[in-house]
Amino acid sequence: MTNSSRQISPQTLRMLAVRDARDRAAFSELFDYFAPRLKGFIMRSGTGSGQAEEIVQDVMLTVWRKAALFDPQRANVSAWIYQIARNRQIDVIRKENRPLPEDLAEPPGAEPDASQILAVEQETGQLRDALARLKPDQREIIEKAYLGELTHQEISTQTGLPLGTIKSRIRLGLERLRHELKDAR
Amino acid sequence: MRGKMTAITHHTPDALLAAYAAGSLPQPFALVVASHISLCLDCRAAYDAHQAAGGVVLDTVAGEDLSESLKSSVFDLLDAPVVPEPVFQRSGVYPGPVMEVLDGKPPRWKPVGGGVRQCILSAAEAGSVRLLYIPPGQAVPDHSHNGLELTLVLQGSFSDETGRFGVGDLEVADEHLDHTPVADAGAPCICLAATDAPLRFRTLVPRLLQPLFRI
Ligand SMILES: [Zn+2]
């Protein structure tokens, strides 16, 4: 529904306000939305309430401190925070330093491109709709996979994993990356 | 990301990327996948997409009530000074994630016979990951054939029954694949290899000596 309005979502605007203006009111709204979800998300994998809150605190502080790394042309806010949460959870629970890919170099002085931001949001909306339309058992597999409840062997053998919708997101994302890198030359 | 990019033809399978994004890969495999993503735009796009799917799941998960003090303690820390974490850049043929494990230093090679050298990056029950240096014409040290094995080429190339693997290519093998990778002519082949089985060198080192070599 928001797809047709062609407006950048309030969530993204809040995160941009945190990134560019260190806006505490915007951060407070992001906290109210994400912190309870993050706690639920972290507790799903068996972490107790107290430790889950410590991780939530670390994640929200990382959102504030590393806001400069938020790039809405590549990831929407939830996707970005999801990755921060998984990293932190692995560092704390498994006591490992999770290997992360090199950051993609931003073209110097790159102008934010609203149409690219909207494209990311639109695709995320399509992904959300597609997941919502799945049969409950299929949706549960997806949830378990991304909550980290399946081993890599289990993910590999899950033939029911409906990755088709993710495939189109990959293709569009690749086009955007190529576009960004072209500008970087 | 910049600089020359050879055409990568062997990519990370989607299920492995999903497992990596979800944090389900043991550290040795995660290091190889993170390194491949650092070299490969296609797999970076796929990783972004899996993060988007993870974000959707985060949006839909049932929330839990927070302690009353949590928000204020986060706000109290917003201005606290932080020591910036070091960022490890790519150095030569070694991608950033490998440089991080090497702590920014060049690898310390140990000879394992036949001109082949290795540098073990981590070895634990859950698996191990190491750098291998293989002169042209030499076989890549015997793979475990006993579980999952990921090999990412960082320099040169190797070939086996399944094809040729150049810089950035990732070979995924398991016990069903019986192969003998051999380094091609040209520059010595350097690869990053992870396995979830204990490392073995049937062809190079007698089994009894293995504990001495930590393999
Ligand atoms: Zn790839």
Side-chain angles (χ1 to χ4, degrees), chain B residues 23-44:
Chain B
S24 304
L25 278 189
Q27 188 267 353
F29 296 139
L31 180 64
V32 178
V33 173
S35 298
H36 179 84
I37 293 171
S38 299
L39 303 172
C40 178
L41 216 51
D42 293 72
C43 289
R44 186 182 288 272

Side-chain angles (χ1 to χ4, degrees), chain A residues 1-74:
Chain A
M1 267 161 272
T2 49
N3 295 352
S4 55
S5 61
R6 308 302 284 163
Q7 296 256 332
I8 294 175
S9 73
Q11 205 77 294
T12 302
L13 292 174
R14 285 181 195 119
M15 195 57 227
L16 288 172
V18 168
R19 186 188 77 176
D20 301 333
R22 311 308 282 152
D23 185 327
R24 284 168 192 254
F27 182 73
S28 170
E29 287 181 282
L30 289 174
F31 185 97
D32 291 343
Y33 177 84
F34 281 106
R37 284 176 172 76
L38 284 167
K39 185 175 175 188
F41 174 83
I42 292 157
M43 287 180 69
R44 274 279 296 259
S45 39
T47 306
S49 173
Q51 191 173 28
E53 290 207 350
E54 281 172 34
I55 297 173
V56 172
Q57 171 164 327
D58 291 343
V59 171
M60 291 312 297
L61 282 171
T62 303
V63 169
W64 175 258
R65 288 169 183 162
K66 298 210 172 154
L69 294 175
F70 172 65
D71 178 2
Q73 299 184 53
R74 281 188 57 209

Side-chain angles (χ1 to χ4, degrees), chain A residues 24 33 53 86 94 98-99 146, chain B residues 20 22-23 50 59 67 79:
Chain A
R24 284 168 192 254
Y33 177 84
E53 290 207 350
R86 291 307 288 143
R94 283 203 227 138
R98 186 180 182 209
Y146 288 102
Chain B
Y20 171 68
H50 287 295
D59 278 330
S67 314
D79 295 321

Side-chain angles (χ1 to χ4, degrees), chain B residues 99-112:
Chain B
M99 288 312 292
E100 175 161 8
V101 177
L102 288 168
D103 204 20
K105 301 180 192 90
R108 294 178 60 189
W109 296 107
K110 301 259 166 64
V112 288

